[in-house]
Amino acid sequence: MYRTSRSLSRSEYEKANRLAKKDFLANISKGKEGYLPCLEDIIHNVEIIKEEKLGLIDIPIERIKGTYYHSRSLSFSANFYPLMKIDSEFASKWINLYEAHISEGIRDPVTAYEYMNWFYIVEGNKRVSVLKYSDAFSISGEVTRLIPKWDENNPEIRIYYEFLDFYKKTKINIIWFNKEGKFKELYDLIKDYEKKSEFIENKYDELVNSVYLLFRKLYREIAKDTISLTEEEAFLEYLKKFGLENIPVIEREMREQVNELLEELEERLGKPSEPLFKLPQIFAGKTLKVAFLYNTSIEESAWTYSHELGRRYVQKRLGSEIITKYFENISDLKTYERILDKLEEEKFDLIFSTSFDFLQNQKTKEFQNVRFMYFSGYRTTKNINTYFGRMYEPRFLSGMIAGAMTSNNKIGYVASYGIPEVIMGINAFALGAKAVNPKSEVFVGWTNTWRNIEYERDTAEYLINEIGVDVLTHHQDSPEVCKVGEEYGVYTIGYHINMKDYAPTTHLTSVVWNWGVYYENIIKDVLRGSNFSLFRLFSGSEKIENFWGGLKSGVVCLSPISEIVPSTTKNLVDTVKADIMGNRFHPFRGGIFDKEGNMKVSECEDIEDEELMKMDWFVDNVYYS
């Protein structure tokens, strides 16, 4: 009898453990539960009207969603892989089961509940974990079905009751639809199926094994997520197109049919467009004149200082290719417009205005020499484009740190104005906190100013003394909030630049702008004549494009995380950061609900940039006055 060596089995556990940690981090970074779902939590407030004994049945591994007991869920990630350390008793038992599976197979049935056609293991969790890891198809189990009370207003309940009728007729549990009427449609298509083997009692078992599973294998292989239909809905389309009588059992022949079906589906559903075009080299060989407009002082504002560092960086990097000039303390509209006229007269090509204070009142005119203008803001016209960064990405990461470090689940956020830029930062931060600590709450105090040290201090002290927050962050131009946190012994997270010097004992990290990287990328694109900002001016496109750099571009980042923060939290943040940079998930991935309980981002969907720039709602763990 073949038996794996202990060292090989240990290495398999270590691999499974790494995959578990990766899955755990990926889920919590999306605002989802990282541990295995547990049924006792799910049905806590559900009225179960009937328990039905299904007996010993084959449970598809893919339909096993979790465990029954909360205490057992903490040993596994959401994909049922093991989270416990290699030197634990849990790991030793898992390894023994893995060796048993390799040598002779796991034969003992599990005990499980079925709820909404998902299975939750009562006894046998490690067996399921080993089989999930080994990519097994099914496991036998003694199953009890929990049937919830009928609710006409709940579409999930209505679909489940359709499934119950379908299951009663077919005993098929591997197929699931998310739309009403589909189970009846499938049954009508397969009810006349005639089984080919006399050794199979249930004809639908044969249909599943010889037809559906082969189709599913080919669909997953060929479609590769390029078709918006689920595999179950695609199977319906397959049956409608070819009919039961024309379905082969030979893989090569079915592959040809699946390819034909996919071509038809692609044509019907449409293909994504690729709006690509080339732009003229209008700035090739020319020295570009670039101006930077600051509404506050370089020395007094962390925001302005971060931009000035960017200007110095890009001037040093690009040298004679550009000429830069800056203006600071632009405190009124009249001064602002006078500077614009001066820049037009001096034939500057590009203006970066680092505030939109004047944008709301500016009467935009056609500049003859200033080709285009950039503002950090949220409004565009034909010669104004917005430039900003995906600050919500490091905001999410800093929220994770805050959620892990709070001891009373109350986190404070001193904010300037209730505009989309600020709101998306608050929401991302709150989602990050919630991802690692579902009980965390973010309390927002408004100053209605970008920089007023007195207001910032008063608001921070209010959040500490009246609300009782034990972590503070902010969206303000000064480091005053961090100073207050240091005085009161409250953890702090800075903004704009690394603010550790202002809170040496309480600073956890800062969300930081690297404007030099941004300006270099934009200006290089302009010099090449290929910048997105030229779409409207030189390509005839009616669309105003916004350029948002994120963690991947280096435009935004976290400053070094304090030694105060446990290494487990740091590792978690590093993993989530890597996933963001690798485009494996989005901090605003649904489902996300607002304060009123409305779903603002659908399950597994990512919010569009256009929606972010119009954001006027708060996620459900944000509180403000």
Side-chain angles (χ1 to χ4, degrees):
M1 179 183 294
Y2 175 80
R3 182 175 177 84
T4 61
S5 69
R6 195 67 177 178
S7 60
L8 177 59
S9 300
R10 281 178 61 88
S11 68
E12 291 297 329
Y13 182 86
E14 290 172 340
K15 181 180 177 182
N17 182 244
R18 288 194 298 270
L19 292 171
K21 292 176 180 178
K22 182 178 180 180
D23 180 70
F24 178 88
L25 298 177
N27 276 297
I28 67 168
S29 65
K30 300 171 188 175
K32 298 180 179 180
E33 178 61 56
Y35 296 110
L36 199 62
C38 62
L39 187 59
E40 64 178 356
D41 288 346
I42 293 171
I43 63 173
H44 179 67
N45 293 315
V46 175
E47 184 177 352
I48 301 297
I49 62 168
K50 183 180 180 181
E51 292 191 10
E52 180 181 334
K53 298 291 185 179
L54 301 183
L56 188 65
I57 66 171
D58 280 338
I59 305 173
I61 293 293
E62 289 189 3
R63 299 303 302 176
I64 299 178
K65 194 167 190 176
T67 184
Y68 179 80
Y69 298 105
H70 177 78
S71 59
R72 296 187 182 180
S73 72
L74 304 181
S75 300
F76 305 92
S77 61
N79 62 3
F80 236 119
Y81 286 5
L83 282 170
M84 307 302 287
K85 294 181 179 179
I86 184 65
D87 56 356
S88 64
E89 181 182 359
F90 174 97
S92 179
K93 292 180 178 179
W94 194 99
I95 291 170
N96 289 338
L97 283 169
Y98 178 79
E99 291 184 336
H101 173 62
I102 294 300
S103 62
E104 58 188 30
I106 292 177
R107 300 174 183 176
D108 294 337
V110 298
T111 305
Y113 282 110
E114 182 256 275
Y115 175 70
M116 302 293 284
N117 199 33
W118 288 107
F119 294 86
Y120 299 85
I121 305 302
V122 179
E123 193 277 325
N125 290 285
K126 285 188 281 294
R127 273 170 272 167
V128 171
S129 179
V130 168
L131 291 175
K132 283 254 187 183
Y133 175 72
S134 303
D135 200 26
F137 178 76
S138 66
I139 187 171
S140 62
E142 285 285 345
V143 178
T144 300
R145 170 174 287 153
L146 302 181
I147 302 177
K149 182 180 179 181
W150 168 258
D151 184 353
E152 175 67 31
N153 298 317
N154 188 328
E156 292 183 356
I157 298 293
R158 296 199 302 266
I159 292 171
Y160 182 64
Y161 271 70
E162 284 186 15
F163 163 76
L164 292 178
D165 182 64
F166 176 78
Y167 181 83
K168 183 179 180 180
K169 298 172 181 175
T170 65
K171 295 298 185 289
I172 296 175
N173 59 16
I174 196 172
I175 294 176
W176 180 259
F177 294 102
N178 293 314
K179 297 178 182 178
E180 292 182 72
K182 296 297 182 180
F183 282 110
K184 183 180 184 305
E185 188 176 352
L186 176 59
Y187 179 73
D188 289 341
L189 288 168
I190 66 174
K191 63 183 179 181
D192 296 326
Y193 177 78
E194 295 182 4
K195 66 186 179 73
K196 312 296 189 297
S197 173
E198 61 183 33
F199 300 105
I200 298 177
E201 181 178 350
N202 182 356
K203 67 178 184 178
Y204 298 111
D205 287 344
E206 181 183 88
L207 175 69
V208 167
N209 291 319
S210 64
V211 180
Y212 174 70
L213 292 179
L214 179 56
F215 171 85
R216 189 179 73 169
K217 170 183 176 291
L218 294 171
Y219 186 76
R220 290 180 178 181
E221 177 185 329
I222 301 171
K224 296 179 180 178
D225 299 322
T226 60
I227 303 295
S228 60
L229 286 181
T230 65
E231 57 201 29
E232 293 87 353
E233 290 179 285
F235 185 58
L236 278 179
E237 296 297 325
Y238 176 74
L239 292 176
K240 287 188 286 186
K241 178 176 176 61
F242 295 103
L244 282 174
E245 66 279 4
N246 297 315
I247 292 177
V249 293
I250 300 174
E251 181 174 332
R252 176 179 54 80
E253 295 178 359
M254 185 179 284
R255 181 182 294 274
E256 293 175 357
Q257 290 183 338
V258 173
N259 277 316
E260 183 180 341
L261 174 68
L262 291 179
E263 289 180 6
E264 181 180 300
L265 291 175
E266 284 180 353
E267 183 176 348
R268 187 197 313 170
L269 298 175
K271 296 182 179 180
S273 59
E274 299 183 15
L276 302 177
F277 42 81
K278 296 182 179 180
L279 301 174
Q281 304 291 315
I282 59 170
F283 286 105
K286 175 184 176 181
T287 299
L288 196 70
K289 300 178 75 173
V290 186
F292 295 79
L293 309 184
Y294 308 143
N295 67 327
T296 52
S297 165
I298 294 171
E299 293 186 0
E300 295 179 355
S301 168
W303 169 254
T304 296
Y305 180 61
S306 69
H307 284 280
E308 174 59 12
L309 289 178
R311 185 195 69 81
R312 297 173 189 174
Y313 173 92
V314 77
Q315 180 67 81
K316 183 177 181 180
R317 292 276 294 179
L318 298 181
S320 61
E321 291 185 86
I322 64 170
I323 296 172
T324 65
K325 192 172 187 177
Y326 73 87
F327 301 82
E328 61 180 319
N329 278 323
I330 306 174
S331 57
D332 60 83
L333 184 60
K334 185 176 181 180
T335 302
Y336 176 76
E337 292 183 339
R338 177 175 55 79
I339 291 172
L340 289 185
D341 289 337
K342 179 178 177 62
L343 293 172
E344 162 71 3
E345 185 178 318
E346 295 180 7
K347 299 184 178 180
F348 269 72
D349 301 296
L350 177 59
I351 298 174
F352 289 100
S353 176
T354 62
S355 171
F356 59 85
D357 283 355
F358 307 115
L359 176 59
Q360 301 177 70
N361 300 315
Q362 179 194 0
K363 295 180 179 179
T364 307
K365 66 177 182 178
E366 295 290 340
F367 289 96
Q368 297 302 313
N369 298 310
V370 181
R371 299 286 197 267
F372 36 79
M373 300 166 57
Y374 282 81
F375 288 79
S376 60
Y378 56 89
R379 187 177 72 111
T380 59
T381 67
K382 65 180 180 179
N383 68 333
I384 297 176
N385 200 351
T386 66
Y387 75 97
F388 209 66
R390 300 185 187 277
M391 180 52 76
Y392 61 83
E393 293 180 351
R395 284 283 191 195
F396 183 93
L397 300 179
S398 69
M400 292 174 63
I401 295 172
M405 295 299 291
T406 178
S407 59
N408 65 4
N409 302 320
K410 294 182 178 181
I411 304 169
Y413 200 118
V414 179
S416 50
Y417 297 99
I419 59 173
E421 168 198 334
V422 179
I423 292 172
M424 78 173 78
I426 294 171
N427 283 339
F429 180 83
L431 289 170
K434 186 178 181 182
V436 299
N437 181 357
K439 295 181 180 179
S440 64
E441 298 174 328
V442 176
F443 295 86
V444 181
W446 300 102
T447 64
N448 293 314
T449 178
W450 291 116
R451 187 180 188 280
N452 185 308
I453 292 177
E454 181 181 353
Y455 288 3
E456 293 167 40
R457 173 169 286 273
D458 288 346
T459 305
E461 289 180 339
Y462 166 79
L463 291 171
I464 294 171
N465 296 325
E466 300 298 326
I467 304 298
V469 303
D470 61 0
V471 183
L472 270 178
T473 191
H474 66 97
H475 192 133
Q476 301 287 165
D477 280 4
S478 89
E480 193 65 21
V481 172
C482 289
K483 292 180 181 179
V484 173
E486 180 74 9
E487 293 172 16
Y488 282 84
V490 170
Y491 290 134
T492 57
I493 295 173
Y495 180 45
H496 294 315
I497 59 175
N498 187 346
M499 291 189 170
K500 180 179 180 180
D501 290 345
Y502 300 99
T505 67
T506 63
H507 179 261
L508 300 177
T509 188
S510 292
V511 286
V512 175
W513 292 103
N514 293 322
W515 288 114
V517 175
Y518 213 149
Y519 290 146
E520 182 179 15
N521 287 336
I522 292 177
I523 292 171
K524 279 184 174 179
D525 279 346
V526 173
L527 289 168
R528 289 194 301 263
S530 60
N531 187 272
F532 49 82
S533 61
L534 302 179
F535 284 2
R536 173 64 181 263
L537 296 177
F538 301 105
S539 72
S541 171
E542 292 299 313
K543 184 178 181 181
I544 299 288
E545 297 287 340
N546 302 294
F547 179 68
W548 282 23
L551 290 167
K552 185 176 182 180
S553 71
V555 173
V556 294
C557 68
L558 283 183
S559 69
I561 300 174
S562 169
E563 294 301 320
I564 302 170
V565 179
S567 58
T568 52
T569 300
K570 292 180 182 178
N571 292 338
L572 177 63
V573 170
D574 286 343
T575 301
V576 174
K577 176 183 175 182
D579 282 350
I580 292 175
M581 294 174 68
N583 297 318
R584 289 183 287 274
F585 77 89
H586 192 292
F588 283 100
R589 179 161 293 170
I592 299 175
F593 294 85
D594 67 9
K595 296 289 294 175
E596 286 69 45
N598 303 309
M599 179 172 278
K600 304 300 290 188
V601 186
S602 299
E603 191 73 27
C604 298
E605 296 292 328
D606 295 342
I607 196 167
E608 298 291 336
D609 286 350
E610 290 78 7
E611 295 302 313
L612 281 173
M613 293 304 291
K614 297 185 294 185
M615 185 171 282
D616 59 357
W617 51 271
F618 291 93
V619 297
D620 53 12
N621 64 324
V622 172
Y623 298 85
Y624 58 92
S625 57

